[in-house]
Amino acid sequence: MGSSKDVEKKSKKEKKEAGLKKEKKRSETDGISKEKKDKKKEKAKQEKIAKLVDDQILNEAATAAVAEPVDATVDPEDIITKAENLVPFAIPLADDKIHKKIYKAIKKGAKLKAIHRGVKECEKAIKKSPLKKASSNSTDVPGLVIIAGDISPMDVIMHFPMLCEEHGVPYLYVKSRADLGVAACTKRATSVVMLKPEGKKPAAGKKADEEMDEDKKVSPEEYLEAWKELVKTAQKQWTAQVEPWVKGVHPIQIAAATAAR
């Protein structure tokens, strides 16, 4: 009799322990499931915010395009004016130190006739180069494009980043269209400049520096070194500034996400 009671008591104890284990396992599973759901929710929220920021940029550009349509027969440089703020898609943007290097290289390139100036001329030069995937560590590129960020209407230059990326041409934004024009030795402000690795071949029987005034002489080798350095800088800045935007972790996107909480 006592034996039967012991067996019954043992059976109840085992059932209770089994129930507790089952409850614990279910609780752990629910916890993991909830954690996964929270992570999924957060990721979806980040993607939604990134999309909203991208849509806002595109909407602003589209609004500008509708408000100020561009006549195909008119030189875009004739209708561009200085904007109060930089265009929202001005990335990668050169810092002050890089700005100085860019302007020095452009001045040298202008003296060696190694640059294209203006929207139409630069667009034509980029399209002439073969379609090529951009490399992050190669200077084997047809040129380096410098774009001014203080442009209005913005739709005049908004296609350049995509065009450059399609042809493997590195690019950088600078803050001033007026300064870009001065560096390119033009009489007016310039929106876009394309720096080529070398200038035009000198006339027969002449050396490149013989075609310049004594005080304006520039070494092609010196210019090429500066050009290569800038190409590498542009590639590094693309990785640092544009790539995070594509991945949704750019500071602007993070700030927007923080503000939305």
Short mmCIF file of all heavy atoms in Angstrom, two decimals, residues 226-258:
data_model
loop_
_atom_site.label_atom_id
_atom_site.label_comp_id
_atom_site.label_asym_id
_atom_site.label_seq_id
_atom_site.Cartn_x
_atom_site.Cartn_y
_atom_site.Cartn_z
N ALA A 226 49.40 64.71 -59.02
CA ALA A 226 48.32 65.36 -58.27
C ALA A 226 46.97 64.78 -58.67
O ALA A 226 46.09 64.58 -57.81
CB ALA A 226 48.34 66.87 -58.53
N TRP A 227 46.81 64.50 -59.96
CA TRP A 227 45.56 63.93 -60.49
C TRP A 227 45.31 62.54 -59.90
O TRP A 227 44.20 62.24 -59.45
CB TRP A 227 45.64 63.86 -62.01
CG TRP A 227 44.42 63.27 -62.67
CD1 TRP A 227 43.28 63.94 -63.03
CD2 TRP A 227 44.23 61.90 -63.05
NE1 TRP A 227 42.38 63.07 -63.60
CE2 TRP A 227 42.93 61.81 -63.62
CE3 TRP A 227 45.00 60.75 -62.95
CZ2 TRP A 227 42.40 60.62 -64.11
CZ3 TRP A 227 44.47 59.56 -63.43
CH2 TRP A 227 43.19 59.50 -64.00
N LYS A 228 46.34 61.70 -59.88
CA LYS A 228 46.21 60.34 -59.32
C LYS A 228 45.83 60.38 -57.83
O LYS A 228 45.01 59.59 -57.37
CB LYS A 228 47.53 59.57 -59.50
CG LYS A 228 47.75 59.07 -60.92
CD LYS A 228 49.06 58.29 -61.02
CE LYS A 228 49.28 57.75 -62.42
NZ LYS A 228 50.57 57.01 -62.53
N GLU A 229 46.45 61.31 -57.13
CA GLU A 229 46.17 61.45 -55.70
C GLU A 229 44.70 61.84 -55.47
O GLU A 229 44.03 61.32 -54.57
CB GLU A 229 47.09 62.51 -55.08
CG GLU A 229 47.00 62.58 -53.56
CD GLU A 229 47.85 63.68 -52.95
OE1 GLU A 229 48.83 64.10 -53.59
OE2 GLU A 229 47.50 64.13 -51.85
N LEU A 230 44.20 62.74 -56.32
CA LEU A 230 42.81 63.17 -56.21
C LEU A 230 41.83 62.06 -56.56
O LEU A 230 40.76 61.94 -55.95
CB LEU A 230 42.55 64.38 -57.11
CG LEU A 230 42.79 65.76 -56.50
CD1 LEU A 230 42.44 66.85 -57.50
CD2 LEU A 230 41.99 65.96 -55.23
N VAL A 231 42.18 61.25 -57.56
CA VAL A 231 41.33 60.12 -57.95
C VAL A 231 41.17 59.16 -56.76
O VAL A 231 40.07 58.72 -56.44
CB VAL A 231 41.92 59.37 -59.18
CG1 VAL A 231 41.23 58.02 -59.38
CG2 VAL A 231 41.76 60.21 -60.44
N LYS A 232 42.30 58.86 -56.11
CA LYS A 232 42.25 57.97 -54.94
C LYS A 232 41.44 58.59 -53.81
O LYS A 232 40.69 57.90 -53.11
CB LYS A 232 43.69 57.68 -54.46
CG LYS A 232 44.46 56.76 -55.40
CD LYS A 232 45.89 56.58 -54.93
CE LYS A 232 46.69 55.70 -55.89
NZ LYS A 232 48.11 55.59 -55.48
N THR A 233 41.58 59.90 -53.64
CA THR A 233 40.82 60.62 -52.61
C THR A 233 39.32 60.52 -52.89
O THR A 233 38.51 60.26 -51.99
CB THR A 233 41.23 62.10 -52.54
OG1 THR A 233 42.61 62.17 -52.20
CG2 THR A 233 40.42 62.86 -51.51
N ALA A 234 38.94 60.72 -54.16
CA ALA A 234 37.52 60.65 -54.56
C ALA A 234 36.96 59.26 -54.30
O ALA A 234 35.83 59.10 -53.83
CB ALA A 234 37.38 61.02 -56.03
N GLN A 235 37.76 58.23 -54.60
CA GLN A 235 37.32 56.85 -54.38
C GLN A 235 37.13 56.56 -52.88
O GLN A 235 36.17 55.90 -52.48
CB GLN A 235 38.33 55.89 -55.00
CG GLN A 235 38.31 55.92 -56.53
CD GLN A 235 39.53 55.27 -57.16
OE1 GLN A 235 40.56 55.08 -56.51
NE2 GLN A 235 39.44 54.93 -58.43
N LYS A 236 38.06 57.07 -52.08
CA LYS A 236 37.96 56.88 -50.62
C LYS A 236 36.73 57.60 -50.06
O LYS A 236 36.02 57.07 -49.20
CB LYS A 236 39.22 57.42 -49.92
CG LYS A 236 40.42 56.50 -50.06
CD LYS A 236 41.63 57.12 -49.37
CE LYS A 236 42.89 56.28 -49.58
NZ LYS A 236 44.09 56.93 -49.00
N GLN A 237 36.49 58.82 -50.56
CA GLN A 237 35.34 59.59 -50.08
C GLN A 237 34.02 58.95 -50.50
O GLN A 237 33.03 59.02 -49.78
CB GLN A 237 35.42 61.04 -50.60
CG GLN A 237 36.53 61.86 -49.98
CD GLN A 237 36.43 61.93 -48.46
OE1 GLN A 237 35.37 62.18 -47.91
NE2 GLN A 237 37.54 61.69 -47.79
N TRP A 238 34.02 58.32 -51.67
CA TRP A 238 32.80 57.61 -52.12
C TRP A 238 32.50 56.47 -51.16
O TRP A 238 31.36 56.28 -50.73
CB TRP A 238 33.00 57.08 -53.54
CG TRP A 238 31.71 56.60 -54.16
CD1 TRP A 238 30.89 57.30 -54.99
CD2 TRP A 238 31.09 55.31 -53.99
NE1 TRP A 238 29.80 56.54 -55.34
CE2 TRP A 238 29.89 55.31 -54.74
CE3 TRP A 238 31.43 54.16 -53.27
CZ2 TRP A 238 29.02 54.22 -54.80
CZ3 TRP A 238 30.56 53.07 -53.32
CH2 TRP A 238 29.39 53.09 -54.08
N THR A 239 33.55 55.73 -50.81
CA THR A 239 33.39 54.61 -49.87
C THR A 239 32.93 55.11 -48.50
O THR A 239 32.09 54.48 -47.86
CB THR A 239 34.72 53.84 -49.71
OG1 THR A 239 35.14 53.38 -51.01
CG2 THR A 239 34.57 52.64 -48.79
N ALA A 240 33.47 56.25 -48.07
CA ALA A 240 33.15 56.77 -46.74
C ALA A 240 31.79 57.46 -46.67
O ALA A 240 31.10 57.39 -45.65
CB ALA A 240 34.23 57.76 -46.31
N GLN A 241 31.36 58.11 -47.77
CA GLN A 241 30.14 58.91 -47.72
C GLN A 241 28.95 58.32 -48.47
O GLN A 241 27.82 58.36 -47.98
CB GLN A 241 30.42 60.32 -48.26
CG GLN A 241 31.42 61.11 -47.45
CD GLN A 241 31.59 62.53 -47.98
OE1 GLN A 241 30.62 63.24 -48.26
NE2 GLN A 241 32.84 62.97 -48.13
N VAL A 242 29.19 57.78 -49.65
CA VAL A 242 28.07 57.28 -50.48
C VAL A 242 27.67 55.86 -50.09
O VAL A 242 26.48 55.55 -49.99
CB VAL A 242 28.43 57.33 -51.99
CG1 VAL A 242 27.25 56.86 -52.84
CG2 VAL A 242 28.84 58.74 -52.40
N GLU A 243 28.65 55.01 -49.86
CA GLU A 243 28.37 53.61 -49.52
C GLU A 243 27.48 53.48 -48.28
O GLU A 243 26.53 52.70 -48.27
CB GLU A 243 29.68 52.84 -49.34
CG GLU A 243 29.52 51.34 -49.55
CD GLU A 243 30.87 50.64 -49.61
OE1 GLU A 243 31.43 50.35 -48.55
OE2 GLU A 243 31.35 50.40 -50.73
N PRO A 244 27.75 54.25 -47.20
CA PRO A 244 26.87 54.17 -46.03
C PRO A 244 25.42 54.56 -46.36
O PRO A 244 24.48 54.03 -45.78
CB PRO A 244 27.50 55.18 -45.05
CG PRO A 244 28.92 55.25 -45.45
CD PRO A 244 28.91 55.11 -46.94
N TRP A 245 25.26 55.51 -47.29
CA TRP A 245 23.91 55.92 -47.69
C TRP A 245 23.18 54.75 -48.35
O TRP A 245 22.01 54.49 -48.08
CB TRP A 245 23.99 57.11 -48.65
CG TRP A 245 22.65 57.67 -48.96
CD1 TRP A 245 21.77 57.25 -49.91
CD2 TRP A 245 22.00 58.74 -48.28
NE1 TRP A 245 20.62 57.99 -49.88
CE2 TRP A 245 20.73 58.92 -48.88
CE3 TRP A 245 22.37 59.57 -47.21
CZ2 TRP A 245 19.83 59.89 -48.46
CZ3 TRP A 245 21.46 60.54 -46.81
CH2 TRP A 245 20.21 60.69 -47.42
N VAL A 246 23.90 54.06 -49.23
CA VAL A 246 23.32 52.90 -49.92
C VAL A 246 22.92 51.83 -48.91
O VAL A 246 21.88 51.16 -49.06
CB VAL A 246 24.33 52.32 -50.94
CG1 VAL A 246 23.78 51.05 -51.59
CG2 VAL A 246 24.66 53.35 -52.02
N LYS A 247 23.73 51.66 -47.85
CA LYS A 247 23.46 50.65 -46.82
C LYS A 247 22.46 51.12 -45.76
O LYS A 247 22.05 50.36 -44.90
CB LYS A 247 24.77 50.25 -46.14
CG LYS A 247 25.71 49.47 -47.07
CD LYS A 247 27.00 49.12 -46.34
CE LYS A 247 27.93 48.31 -47.23
NZ LYS A 247 29.20 48.00 -46.56
N GLY A 248 22.10 52.42 -45.83
CA GLY A 248 21.13 52.94 -44.87
C GLY A 248 21.71 53.33 -43.53
O GLY A 248 20.98 53.45 -42.54
N VAL A 249 23.03 53.52 -43.47
CA VAL A 249 23.67 53.87 -42.19
C VAL A 249 24.38 55.23 -42.26
O VAL A 249 25.29 55.51 -41.47
CB VAL A 249 24.67 52.78 -41.74
CG1 VAL A 249 23.94 51.51 -41.38
CG2 VAL A 249 25.73 52.50 -42.82
N HIS A 250 23.98 56.08 -43.20
CA HIS A 250 24.58 57.41 -43.32
C HIS A 250 24.13 58.28 -42.13
O HIS A 250 23.01 58.12 -41.64
CB HIS A 250 24.14 58.07 -44.64
CG HIS A 250 24.91 59.29 -44.99
ND1 HIS A 250 24.60 60.54 -44.46
CD2 HIS A 250 25.99 59.48 -45.80
CE1 HIS A 250 25.45 61.43 -44.94
NE2 HIS A 250 26.30 60.82 -45.74
N PRO A 251 25.00 59.18 -41.63
CA PRO A 251 24.63 60.03 -40.50
C PRO A 251 23.29 60.77 -40.66
O PRO A 251 22.55 60.93 -39.71
CB PRO A 251 25.80 61.03 -40.43
CG PRO A 251 26.96 60.26 -40.96
CD PRO A 251 26.40 59.37 -42.03
N ILE A 252 22.99 61.21 -41.89
CA ILE A 252 21.72 61.90 -42.15
C ILE A 252 20.55 60.95 -41.90
O ILE A 252 19.53 61.32 -41.31
CB ILE A 252 21.66 62.44 -43.60
CG1 ILE A 252 22.70 63.54 -43.79
CG2 ILE A 252 20.26 62.97 -43.93
CD1 ILE A 252 22.83 64.04 -45.22
N GLN A 253 20.71 59.70 -42.37
CA GLN A 253 19.65 58.71 -42.17
C GLN A 253 19.50 58.33 -40.69
O GLN A 253 18.38 58.16 -40.20
CB GLN A 253 19.96 57.46 -43.00
CG GLN A 253 19.91 57.70 -44.51
CD GLN A 253 20.51 56.57 -45.30
OE1 GLN A 253 21.61 56.13 -45.03
NE2 GLN A 253 19.77 56.10 -46.30
N ILE A 254 20.63 58.23 -40.00
CA ILE A 254 20.59 57.91 -38.56
C ILE A 254 19.92 59.04 -37.79
O ILE A 254 19.11 58.81 -36.89
CB ILE A 254 22.03 57.65 -38.03
CG1 ILE A 254 22.60 56.37 -38.66
CG2 ILE A 254 22.03 57.56 -36.51
CD1 ILE A 254 24.06 56.14 -38.41
N ALA A 255 20.26 60.30 -38.17
CA ALA A 255 19.65 61.46 -37.51
C ALA A 255 18.14 61.48 -37.74
O ALA A 255 17.36 61.76 -36.83
CB ALA A 255 20.28 62.75 -38.04
N ALA A 256 17.72 61.13 -38.99
CA ALA A 256 16.30 61.08 -39.31
C ALA A 256 15.61 59.99 -38.51
O ALA A 256 14.48 60.16 -38.03
CB ALA A 256 16.12 60.85 -40.81
N ALA A 257 16.30 58.86 -38.34
CA ALA A 257 15.73 57.74 -37.58
C ALA A 257 15.57 58.10 -36.11
O ALA A 257 14.57 57.79 -35.47
CB ALA A 257 16.64 56.51 -37.72
N THR A 258 16.58 58.82 -35.57
CA THR A 258 16.54 59.24 -34.18
C THR A 258 15.41 60.24 -33.93
O THR A 258 14.69 60.17 -32.94
CB THR A 258 17.89 59.90 -33.78
OG1 THR A 258 18.95 58.97 -34.07
CG2 THR A 258 17.91 60.24 -32.30
#
